[in-house]
Amino acid sequence: MASPNQYFVLIVPACAALLGVAMIYCWSRLRDHRYLLWIGSGYIATAIPMGIHSLMPNELLARWTLPLSSLYLLGVWTMAHGVAMRFGGRAHTGWAWLIIILTLGLLFFFSRVDDDLWLRLQILNLGLALLVALPAKSILYGRTPTLPLRTLLRASYLTVLLYAFTRVAVLAAVIPKEMQPELTRSGFWLLMLATNMLISIWLALAILTSTAMSIVQTLDHERSRDPLTRLLNRRAFFEQVQKRLELYGHSGWAVLTCDLDHFKMVNDTWGHAAGDRALKEFGALLARTVRQDDLAARFGGEEFVLLIRSASLHTAVLVAERLRSSVMNLHIPATAHTLTASFGVVQLSSNGDINQAIEQADRLLYEAKHAGRNKVIWKAS
């Protein structure tokens, strides 16, 4: 008959299973975050043998070593693979299968040939620790979604990794062989399960927090972008301009306004799909041209605005001329139309107002239109 302590320790696998179910549910609503499915499945796979071990009499442990250990090993590797996916890496499937097969082979020998619970614990925990270590390179040196999440996620993984190898060392150095018969009913077992629960909850919260923050950032990114060209929209452009000017000052900037020539003719002649394609191609050209501190936005229709770092008006005009030449090389499928664009360029003065600079660049743009289009007209602000 199971003791009250054994029923109490079922809280740990139950919590792990619930965390796994929560992650899988999140994945069902956020299919792009596939790592949640892997990590959630790993939590559930490890919760099953953990619960069974806590209730099973010691005399049955040898008989059930292989199936329960298989679940432990597969569950831990599944979690490791999911965490690696979060960092854009991998958990080395080939090495994982080698570790799993060697671990199960040794467990088979020390359960069916030479029954030794103490050695089985060492072997299983070492195998689990090695599986946790497989994605270490991807996690420590791979890409992360954003800088604020890097410390949280890596610290969580390192905590799990440190605990995995510490548990191996403690089992080898502290637990005597004579404790074998009562190990799963001992205070050490309860302590180990409690530690497992705390670390599992910590890792789950770190993963779910990073997922929530990524979703918020994605939504904010979508809110700030023009859906067709993926450039900044008008609102986001002015927000980013304010940050740039506060950080670097007003001098050393130029404003470029640009407009595709005869764009209405493209829509009327070849349809709106061709017009959308032209806008996307032009937007992509602007995105390729701007540098890290520059900004490019679609203000509406075929009107675009750029804020670029420029030490002089001459430099800004050269950028506009390069863009004007590049536009004529854009190919719009299913049309015979050669795109051109007109530009107005203004150098922002040290005390210049961005709105006034844009208005002035707009006037220069319309001068370029009236002068025959496919031109760059400039003036200091």
Side-chain angles (χ1 to χ4, degrees):
M1 180 176 177
S3 67
N5 276 348
Q6 285 177 288
Y7 287 119
F8 174 77
V9 297
L10 285 178
I11 293 174
V12 179
C15 286
L18 288 173
L19 289 171
V21 170
M23 289 192 181
I24 292 175
Y25 175 77
C26 290
W27 166 78
S28 72
R29 312 297 295 180
L30 306 165
R31 292 303 180 99
D32 290 340
H33 300 269
R34 197 177 175 201
Y35 60 88
L36 291 172
L37 174 63
W38 285 89
I39 298 173
S41 300
Y43 268 85
I44 294 173
T46 53
I48 294 171
M50 193 184 302
I52 294 174
H53 264 149
S54 298
L55 295 178
M56 182 177 288
N58 283 321
E59 55 269 19
L60 296 179
L61 289 178
R63 186 186 308 173
W64 287 90
T65 290
L66 290 183
L68 295 181
S69 297
S70 297
L71 282 174
Y72 270 127
L73 293 163
L74 290 174
V76 167
W77 178 78
T78 300
M79 282 192 285
H81 180 68
V83 174
M85 287 177 65
R86 184 71 181 96
F87 284 81
R90 58 196 181 95
H92 304 284
T93 306
W95 283 105
W97 279 112
L98 178 62
I99 292 169
I100 290 172
I101 290 170
L102 288 175
T103 302
L104 290 177
L106 290 171
L107 291 174
F108 175 81
F109 180 84
F110 288 109
S111 61
R112 302 297 176 87
V113 179
D114 181 10
D115 187 2
D116 192 321
L117 175 60
W118 188 82
L119 273 178
R120 291 203 305 272
L121 284 172
Q122 313 304 317
I123 293 166
L124 176 60
N125 280 279
L126 179 59
L128 295 176
L130 291 174
L131 290 173
V132 172
L134 284 178
K137 183 177 180 180
S138 295
I139 293 171
L140 296 178
Y141 302 105
R143 62 178 177 84
T144 48
T146 58
L147 184 62
L149 299 179
R150 187 176 301 163
T151 302
L152 173 65
L153 291 174
R154 286 179 176 165
S156 302
Y157 170 74
L158 288 174
T159 300
V160 174
L161 183 62
L162 179 63
Y163 171 69
F165 280 99
T166 300
R167 186 172 58 186
V168 174
V170 169
L171 283 170
V174 176
I175 307 301
K177 285 193 173 185
E178 52 268 23
M179 190 185 287
Q180 288 184 33
E182 298 298 326
L183 182 59
T184 58
R185 295 175 176 81
S186 66
F188 175 79
W189 183 260
L190 292 176
L191 177 62
M192 189 170 69
L193 287 177
T195 306
N196 284 345
M197 181 174 66
L198 291 174
I199 291 179
S200 297
I201 291 173
W202 167 259
L203 179 61
L205 288 176
I207 294 294
L208 292 174
T209 299
S210 72
T211 302
M213 292 179 68
S214 293
I215 293 169
V216 170
Q217 290 162 359
T218 300
L219 292 174
D220 184 65
H221 183 270
E222 292 297 318
R223 187 175 65 94
S224 302
R225 297 284 164 174
D226 170 62
L228 181 63
T229 63
R230 309 311 300 164
L231 298 177
L232 293 173
N233 56 33
R234 182 189 293 263
R235 179 195 57 78
F237 175 81
F238 282 111
E239 288 180 357
Q240 293 298 321
V241 166
Q242 189 63 31
K243 292 178 181 178
R244 296 290 195 279
L245 298 183
E246 289 177 357
L247 183 62
Y248 299 110
H250 284 64
S251 59
W253 296 100
V255 174
L256 284 68
T257 58
C258 45
D259 197 314
L260 290 176
D261 298 327
H262 300 296
F263 181 70
K264 185 176 184 301
M265 185 179 72
V266 176
N267 281 331
D268 292 343
T269 306
W270 289 281
H272 289 282
D276 287 348
R277 182 66 179 174
L279 292 171
K280 289 175 68 175
E281 292 289 341
F282 186 57
L285 172 63
L286 296 182
R288 292 194 300 270
T289 301
V290 296
R291 296 156 299 182
Q292 182 176 353
D293 290 328
D294 299 340
L295 299 173
R298 181 188 178 198
F299 269 34
E302 65 271 28
E303 181 184 1
F304 297 82
V305 177
L306 288 80
L307 179 76
I308 63 171
R309 293 285 280 174
S310 173
S312 66
L313 179 61
H314 176 70
T315 302
V317 171
L318 289 178
V319 172
E321 286 288 359
R322 187 167 66 248
L323 279 170
R324 187 189 63 80
S325 299
S326 299
V327 171
M328 292 188 290
N329 295 323
L330 295 178
H331 174 66
I332 309 303
T335 75
H337 184 75
T338 298
L339 285 177
T340 63
S342 300
F343 294 82
V345 183
V346 171
Q347 185 75 14
L348 192 63
S349 62
S350 58
N351 59 351
D353 178 75
I354 185 65
N355 290 291
Q356 292 178 357
I358 292 174
E359 289 176 6
Q360 188 174 18
D362 268 337
R363 288 194 293 270
L364 296 173
L365 168 62
Y366 285 109
E367 286 184 29
K369 293 280 191 182
H370 292 309
R373 295 181 171 84
N374 193 24
K375 296 182 181 300
V376 176
I377 295 185
W378 63 93
K379 185 177 181 181
S381 176

